[in-house]
Amino acid sequence: MVKVREDYPESVDGEVDIAAWLKRIEEKTQLEEAFKLQAAAERSFRAEQECDTAQNVWADSASSFRTGLEMAEILAELQLDTEALVASVLYRAVREGKLPLEQVASQFGEQVAHLIDGVQRMAAISLAQNQTIKPVLGQTENQLHNLRKMLVAMVDDVRVALIKLAERTCAIRAVKEAAEEKCRKVAREVFDIYAPLAHRLGIGHIKWELEDLSFRYLHPRAYKKIASLLDEKRLERDAYIAKVVEQLNESLSGASIHAQVTGRAKHIYSIWRKMKRKRVDFYQIYDIRAVRVLVPTVRDCYACLGIVHSMWQHIPKEFDDYIATPKENGYRSLHTAVLGPDSKVLEVQIRTHDMHEESELGVCAHWHYKEGAKKSQTDSYEDKIAWLRQVLEWQEELGDAGLSDLVTQFSHDVIDERIYVFTPDGHVVDLASGATPLDFAYHIHTEVGHGCRGAKVNGRIVPLTYQLSTGEQVEVMTDKKGQPSQDWLNPHLGYIRTSRARAKIAHWFKQQDREQNIIDGKAMLKRELSRLSLSSVDWAEVAAKVNLKTEEDLYASVGAGDLKLSLVLNAIQGVLPEQVERTSLEPIIPIYKGNRTQWRDSDLDIHGIHNLVTQIAGCCHPVPGDEIIGYVSVGRGITVHRKDCSMLGQIKERHPERLMEVSWNREIEQVYPVEVNLHAYDRQGLLKDVAMVLSNESVNLTAINSLSNQGENTVLMKLTLEIRSLSDLGRMLTKLSQLPNVTEVSRVSPA
């Protein structure tokens, strides 16, 4: 939704009527010292009149005076104080050199001058984005210095960031008639930097306007298409929303809930983003038709939700409770999608009046400046200010990463997926969500990571697989002779989550003795194949499959941690005789519900013959990746055995003519039974833990037999699992082997 700029009230001589404009401001917010704002507007007007146009490099830009008034109106809607409004009115005049900052300080006070100075320093953002200009000697250091000063200013006084947001909002509104190149340049900066900032501060209506205006210039065709589709159905949609509002008001009144029900504005960029994310067209977006319900209390929110769901059918997976679990920027509301009147999809947002104010004003809803009064101390406000302090971590990152990474650091996704933890000295470390103490250690220093042998979080010892959370203090315990472990690179064990740590560990192993890597890699592969009961693998072919020249290169890559075991297993499955590599695995695969020994012809390729009944041999239970052969049985079709099945010896002697070539089909969609032996020291809850692992991995358990040895306090569990491939089987065996008291887990070899 793009906001239409309002005209300013004019006096008889055609100039802006400042007194009338001031009254309009007072209708939006309460001013304690309105005379200061009027004086600022008059001073900005005089500064523009006194400026020598011939010497003014900003002569072709919009009026600094009118832009200042527009900025003040935006900030008045955010309920900012008089000082912030005065600074906004004077900012452009100071920036364009029409009014010295010293005069502002003497006439309007040091606080106003400090705000303007802080906004000026935020121009470092624009300089950082301009990658086409090569900095002269020393310029890069100045930009870094300015950027750090800007970040400190944001933390010291969030009004600086809000004034800059207002200024950029005016800038992108004003480029409508400008050249296409300028439009795109301003739009790119606004979209990459300032729309995310508005989002993080929770200022909804500014965020949406900045996104829509930026989208208009960055993707004009898509913008116009969606805008025209919205206009096409506007009358029909408005009539539909009016009908919904009437029905909902009637139901809520009957339940004695005092609610304000309105149609919700449509934001073009939001619609386009959902179309892209969900890969659907315009008519499949749920919030094209939407209403918002404002109620007095949280209890009323949930009562209203129940009424909505009783009136219309709820659409599965289209409900979000941001009241119980607010977004990181403090946003709270209930969102649900239903099949409304005439079975049309309708989105309903439910929130209290206070939540709505926070959604529209964000941090400003808690930011009240009154002389002699303290700032609001609500939890939401503290959370937002805490986030602002976290951006100081950029000071440590910018020196290495460079200014070009600033946009990435400030984007929606990256900010929403970061955690911030403290070192013992109180320094903040920025890590990816889900990071572990090992990731933290490698972030501090490579040698700290290599020597890490333990960690404390908030003074308590935790495992190295512990997932850190924002606000925790992390201390790494090291050993000077410590070295990385191969287990750290195993993705199933969860020691590391960041690519930075993984790369440093892999590099360490790569630098070690190649011969040792070959020995380690060969041992790892031998151990994995033994667990999976595989044999007769042509390692030269496997090496070629993973783009390595020799068998030794394969062993060395596995031993150095450059090549994951799961990739090797996929390659093995792709090169075994009469077998093909499965190139993809869908996360949800239909499971055959009939007799587990009966299979469709589509699962297997039977050379030269079609439409025969097939079954999997119960003696060896072959699965995709095993070498197999078919045996023609009288009246029962073809029985599929593993080639190393002990029963085949007797069959070859008696009926060699009944053996035929069989291979796995490329499009296998079934799961296959695999027998697994699990050895462990017996303990209470072991079976429950095994079942939990299988459940978490979505693996079906079809049979279990438990044999206990009370004298040695051991147990042998024989499990029959349904798996899809060797890679899945390898991952499952690793998960089970990590359970407490478990000593060995392996696939049962054929009899």
Side-chain angles (χ1 to χ4, degrees), residues 434-454:
T436 67
L438 265 180
D439 293 308
F440 173 87
Y442 277 101
H443 183 95
I444 297 300
H445 195 279
T446 302
E447 293 305 319
V448 175
H450 290 343
C452 179
R453 285 299 171 267

Side-chain angles (χ1 to χ4, degrees), residues 12-73:
V12 178
D13 57 3
E15 298 294 346
V16 175
D17 187 338
I18 294 177
W21 169 82
L22 187 61
K23 288 183 179 179
R24 196 160 80 182
I25 292 291
E26 290 179 312
E27 292 174 358
K28 298 179 179 181
T29 187
Q30 183 177 355
L31 295 176
E32 292 188 352
E33 298 174 302
F35 67 90
K36 286 187 178 181
L37 186 57
Q38 181 170 349
E42 292 170 351
R43 184 67 187 91
S44 176
F45 177 74
R46 290 199 308 274
E48 187 165 81
Q49 297 299 310
E50 296 166 359
C51 181
D52 185 350
T53 304
Q55 297 180 357
N56 182 18
V57 296
W58 304 86
D60 294 334
S61 64
S63 163
S64 60
F65 167 61
R66 288 177 176 261
T67 300
L69 300 186
E70 185 178 358
M71 289 172 60
E73 291 202 34

Side-chain angles (χ1 to χ4, degrees), residues 366-618:
H366 303 282
W367 192 269
H368 302 298
Y369 281 83
K370 295 183 180 179
E371 187 173 354
K374 294 183 178 180
K375 302 169 188 175
S376 171
Q377 297 296 319
T378 65
D379 292 340
S380 180
Y381 163 81
E382 289 298 332
D383 291 342
K384 294 183 178 75
I385 298 305
W387 174 81
L388 285 175
R389 290 195 176 94
Q390 289 163 4
V391 299
L392 285 174
E393 174 61 11
W394 290 341
Q395 296 185 50
E396 297 179 13
E397 297 291 339
L398 286 173
D400 297 329
L403 291 171
S404 60
D405 289 338
L406 179 60
V407 171
T408 304
Q409 291 282 351
F410 219 156
S411 66
H412 291 280
D413 295 338
V414 172
I415 289 177
D416 283 342
E417 297 177 1
R418 308 301 290 177
I419 62 169
Y420 301 87
V421 295
F422 295 98
T423 67
D425 296 332
H427 295 131
V428 179
V429 174
D430 175 7
L431 296 169
S433 178
T436 67
L438 265 180
D439 293 308
F440 173 87
Y442 277 101
H443 183 95
I444 297 300
H445 195 279
T446 302
E447 293 305 319
V448 175
H450 290 343
C452 179
R453 285 299 171 267
K456 291 182 179 180
V457 173
N458 295 334
R460 178 175 55 89
I461 295 178
V462 298
L464 293 181
T465 55
Y466 176 85
Q467 291 193 20
L468 301 173
S469 300
T470 293
E472 293 180 327
Q473 185 182 67
V474 186
E475 179 183 353
V476 179
M477 297 180 286
T478 61
D479 181 349
K480 291 183 178 180
K481 298 181 180 180
Q483 297 178 347
S485 167
Q486 283 284 358
D487 288 339
W488 293 358
L489 293 173
N490 189 330
H492 305 315
L493 302 183
Y495 280 104
I496 54 174
R497 299 299 179 98
T498 63
S499 57
R500 176 176 179 174
R502 184 174 298 279
K504 289 183 176 181
I505 297 170
H507 180 73
W508 186 90
F509 282 108
K510 185 181 293 185
Q511 298 303 312
Q512 306 308 303
D513 186 5
R514 174 178 166 84
E515 292 301 321
Q516 187 61 46
N517 288 339
I518 291 175
I519 294 172
D520 292 343
K522 191 172 184 178
M524 291 172 65
L525 290 173
K526 182 179 179 181
R527 184 167 60 251
E528 191 69 13
L529 263 62
S530 175
R531 288 202 312 164
L532 298 175
S533 190
L534 286 176
S535 59
S536 304
V537 175
D538 188 332
W539 291 114
E541 286 191 54
V542 174
K545 194 72 175 179
V546 294
N547 299 318
L548 295 174
K549 293 181 179 179
T550 66
E551 182 177 334
E552 286 73 20
D553 290 339
L554 174 67
Y555 296 148
S557 295
V558 172
D562 294 336
L563 189 62
K564 296 179 181 179
L565 284 175
S566 59
L567 295 179
V568 178
L569 290 177
N570 288 337
I572 292 173
Q573 189 167 320
V575 301
L576 288 175
E578 285 99 36
Q579 296 173 35
V580 295
E581 181 182 4
R582 292 179 61 193
T583 58
S584 64
L585 287 175
E586 296 297 330
I588 300 177
I589 299 180
I591 296 178
Y592 183 65
K593 297 298 185 181
N595 187 335
R596 300 305 302 174
T597 61
Q598 298 297 319
W599 304 88
R600 302 176 303 186
D601 291 339
S602 59
D603 294 340
L604 300 159
D605 283 337
I606 303 170
H607 294 225
I609 303 178
H610 301 282
N611 299 323
L612 284 179
V613 175
T614 60
Q615 62 181 352
I616 297 297

Side-chain angles (χ1 to χ4, degrees), residues 91-97 99 101 113-125 127 146 150 160 164:
Y91 166 70
R92 283 294 291 267
V94 174
R95 175 188 170 190
E96 296 177 14
L99 180 62
L101 190 60
H114 174 75
L115 291 174
I116 295 175
D117 184 48
V119 181
Q120 283 186 297
R121 288 198 294 264
M122 289 190 74
I125 292 281
L127 293 175
N146 287 338
M150 177 273 293
V160 170
K164 185 62 180 178

